[in-house]
Amino acid sequence: MSTDRRVALVTGGSGGIGRATAVRLAKDGLAVAVHYAGNKARADETVAEIEASGGAAIAVGGDVADENEMAAAFDATEAAFGGVDVVVNTAGIMILAPIATLDLDDLDRMHRTNIRGTFVVSQQAARRVRAGGAIVNFSTSVVRTQFPMYGAYVASKAAVEGMTLILAREMRGKDITVNAVAPGPTATPLFLDGKDEETIAGLARAVPLERLGQPDDIAETVSFLAGPARWVNGQVLYSNGGLA
């Protein structure tokens, strides 16, 4: 399956923002490795959707926090397509609770995926992405909006922002950009889970464009960073419809 196309590896690519991103990058002409943690069937569905539109894709599995499994995912991507040019780190989990009552096991679970997982994938990307490539990590607009209940999640994503901006400086001389996308309220299962209709409507009204974001809105931002945005580096882009 080796190809001369640019190649993207999208973690969490089997659903939500990750799936929309994988499909969008394939439409942009990239070959895509669709990563999944546990649901291979959904990853295979994303691969099938890409291939039905004339794109090239494979599914790769692994725990993002396990360096050996992610090294194997990168190996599989390189074996299939000849290299890696873009790495998009959408994999993450979100558990909401007041800081005073959050179960510390949930804190550890979230930080293992969101912090260690992002670090492990970023480390592999820093070693393997080819010149002219891009690394895109994921934060959240709540780092800035500071909604109650999000303390532990925001702590993990603030860490992602910090490591992203430092990695951008560490990649000096390699012609590789490193940025983070910080979505606002976006209609994905991760965001909608556990929220009643009144809460969801209130968050939609808080956005000047008066709607929730859609996964395709965020994928568009990633597409910009992965392709034409060669002068955007070491930044956090708030893709949130104008939410403060």
Side-chain angles (χ1 to χ4, degrees), residues 114-147:
N114 297 356
I115 297 178
R116 180 183 169 91
T118 298
F119 195 99
V120 166
V121 174
S122 293
Q123 186 176 69
Q124 288 293 324
R127 296 170 178 172
R128 302 197 192 213
V129 168
R130 296 185 288 202
I135 301 169
V136 183
N137 289 327
F138 265 72
S139 180
T140 172
S141 288
V142 190
V143 171
R144 188 163 67 183
T145 58
Q146 300 158 359
F147 294 148

Side-chain angles (χ1 to χ4, degrees), residues 11-177:
T11 72
S14 62
I17 290 171
R19 179 170 186 159
T21 296
V23 171
R24 173 57 187 264
L25 293 178
K27 288 180 179 177
D28 291 342
L30 282 75
V32 182
V34 179
H35 163 267
Y36 64 93
N39 195 333
K40 185 177 186 299
R42 290 185 65 191
D44 288 341
E45 289 172 3
T46 306
V47 169
E49 180 179 352
I50 290 169
E51 291 180 336
S53 297
I58 60 169
V60 295
D63 175 0
V64 289
D66 186 309
E67 64 273 28
N68 296 316
E69 292 186 13
M70 291 317 299
F74 274 79
D75 287 345
T77 304
E78 291 173 343
F81 299 126
V84 180
D85 301 285
V86 176
V87 173
V88 185
N89 239 331
T90 76
I93 60 174
M94 179 172 66
I95 302 168
L96 304 183
I99 290 171
T101 59
L102 180 78
D103 186 317
L104 293 180
D105 287 341
D106 288 338
L107 177 71
D108 291 342
R109 283 177 54 218
M110 219 170 352
H111 283 204
R112 185 177 190 279
T113 297
N114 297 356
I115 297 178
R116 180 183 169 91
T118 298
F119 195 99
V120 166
V121 174
S122 293
Q123 186 176 69
Q124 288 293 324
R127 296 170 178 172
R128 302 197 192 213
V129 168
R130 296 185 288 202
I135 301 169
V136 183
N137 289 327
F138 265 72
S139 180
T140 172
S141 288
V142 190
V143 171
R144 188 163 67 183
T145 58
Q146 300 158 359
F147 294 148
M149 308 284 287
Y150 283 78
Y153 180 67
V154 164
S156 72
K157 291 302 188 177
V160 168
E161 290 191 8
M163 74 175 80
T164 298
L165 302 189
I166 288 172
L167 181 57
R169 277 72 187 175
E170 291 179 347
M171 300 302 284
R172 174 183 290 273
K174 296 187 177 181
D175 190 24
I176 295 169
T177 62

